[in-house]
Amino acid sequence: MENKTPDSEAINADLVNKIKPNMPKKELLYDLSDFFKVMGDSTRIQLLWALEENELCVGELAAILDMTKSAVSHQLKVLRTAKLVRSQKRGKNVYYSLNDEHVQIIVKMALEHVCE
Amino acid sequence: MENKTPDSEAINADLVNKIKPNMPKKELLYDLSDFFKVMGDSTRIQLLWALEENELCVGELAAILDMTKSAVSHQLKVLRTAKLVRSQKRGKNVYYSLNDEHVQIIVKMALEHVCE
DNA sequence: ATTATAGTTGAACATTTATTCAACTGTCAA
DNA sequence: TTGACAGTTGAATAAATGTTCAACTATAAT
């Protein structure tokens, strides 16, 4: 009776050995998850959302989000480090704008997912 | 001298009042950031990556990721709650598979961003 | 029935993270 | 120069998060 399909299969070692070497390298893995981590905060999503409409300075962003300039500035730094926004100082103000065309598409895809 | 362009502009209230009402509602905002939070972990990225190749049970996933079944199970629960994977029990095993076609596209876009 | 295996679960622990607060820099106006 | 405003920064606090461990359920094999 060796050809019967078992009710429960042991783990498929061949499949594991085929998939394991195709896994992404640690570095790429961290880059990917770090990118999503940056997007995974409602304050930063709002900042990106607002900047899709216009270049805006910190005070304007703080007014739109109803938050302190300090809190906004901290989060803008995260977005800047991730290269999702860029900043430009003009007079007393620092104006921020989007720096990556992928972001708008990614947010749109995510919207389709969460709106199902 | 009232028509000179000021070296430093005060915040643009009209712009703020135009953008503010177009901001996403709290609920949508949390749904969006929660989605990205789920993607923002290297273990869960690996799970999704592996499941793109094949339906896999918990033990196989644990072997591929070199992690305990417990840790994998905890993260699979997060993915299940977010409706990114679905599970199906067969015998003693629980097989997981992808549940959302958006995810592969979103990961691909994110790859393009981080690989620049 | 008993034993072994697959997977889930909750508590605990350590780490990360977002906001607040106060102090600071730099620029403009008087 | 003095004062006001825009923004940044670091420390502190509180909240969220990932993995481990041990205990548990459920299914299969003997």
Side-chain angles (χ1 to χ4, degrees):
Chain A
M1 44 173 72
E2 59 271 359
N3 271 337
K4 265 171 57 179
T5 300
D7 287 337
S8 170
E9 307 181 42
I11 81 165
N12 185 336
D14 287 347
L15 190 52
V16 168
N17 289 329
K18 189 192 123 203
I19 293 180
K20 205 165 176 180
N22 290 348
M23 294 299 285
K25 306 282 167 258
K26 249 189 201 146
E27 183 138 349
L28 177 59
L29 212 45
Y30 289 145
D31 286 350
L32 259 180
S33 56
D34 281 350
F35 168 77
F36 286 118
K37 243 175 259 187
V38 171
M39 308 284 290
D41 175 74
S42 60
T43 296
R44 291 190 291 266
I45 294 273
Q46 284 183 94
L47 291 172
L48 295 170
W49 195 285
L51 291 173
E52 254 176 59
E53 304 227 20
N54 257 284
E55 162 189 80
L56 292 162
C57 68
V58 178
E60 290 164 346
L61 286 166
I64 292 172
L65 304 210
D66 269 320
M67 293 180 66
T68 65
K69 279 183 285 189
S70 175
V72 167
S73 179
H74 276 296
Q75 298 307 330
L76 285 170
K77 186 178 194 174
V78 176
L79 292 172
R80 232 186 313 120
T81 302
K83 305 225 169 91
L84 298 186
V85 304
R86 116 192 73 198
S87 68
Q88 185 196 3
K89 183 155 191 172
R90 290 207 302 274
K92 279 199 285 187
N93 302 306
V94 178
Y95 284 89
Y96 283 82
S97 52
L98 292 187
N99 192 38
D100 190 303
E101 62 285 0
H102 296 127
V103 171
Q104 304 180 46
I105 307 174
I106 290 175
V107 171
K108 196 168 289 182
M109 297 305 280
L111 262 175
E112 286 182 36
H113 170 75
V114 303
C115 290
E116 269 166 3
Chain B
M1 45 175 68
E2 58 273 359
N3 271 337
K4 266 173 54 179
T5 300
D7 288 337
S8 169
E9 306 181 42
I11 81 165
N12 185 336
D14 286 348
L15 190 52
V16 168
N17 289 329
K18 188 193 125 205
I19 292 180
K20 205 166 176 179
N22 290 347
M23 294 298 285
K25 306 282 167 256
K26 249 189 200 142
E27 183 138 348
L28 177 58
L29 213 45
Y30 290 144
D31 286 349
L32 260 179
S33 55
D34 281 350
F35 169 77
F36 286 118
K37 242 174 261 186
V38 172
M39 308 285 289
D41 174 75
S42 59
T43 297
R44 291 191 291 265
I45 295 273
Q46 286 184 91
L47 290 172
L48 295 171
W49 196 286
L51 291 174
E52 254 176 59
E53 304 227 21
N54 255 287
E55 161 188 82
L56 292 162
C57 69
V58 178
E60 290 163 345
L61 286 166
I64 291 171
L65 303 210
D66 269 320
M67 291 180 66
T68 64
K69 280 183 286 188
S70 175
V72 167
S73 179
H74 276 296
Q75 298 307 331
L76 285 169
K77 187 180 192 171
V78 175
L79 292 172
R80 232 187 312 121
T81 303
K83 303 225 170 91
L84 299 186
V85 303
R86 116 194 72 200
S87 68
Q88 185 196 3
K89 182 154 192 172
R90 291 207 301 274
K92 278 199 285 187
N93 301 305
V94 178
Y95 286 89
Y96 282 83
S97 52
L98 293 186
N99 193 36
D100 190 303
E101 61 285 0
H102 295 127
V103 172
Q104 304 180 45
I105 307 174
I106 290 174
V107 171
K108 196 169 288 183
M109 298 303 282
L111 262 176
E112 285 181 37
H113 170 75
V114 302
C115 290
E116 269 167 3

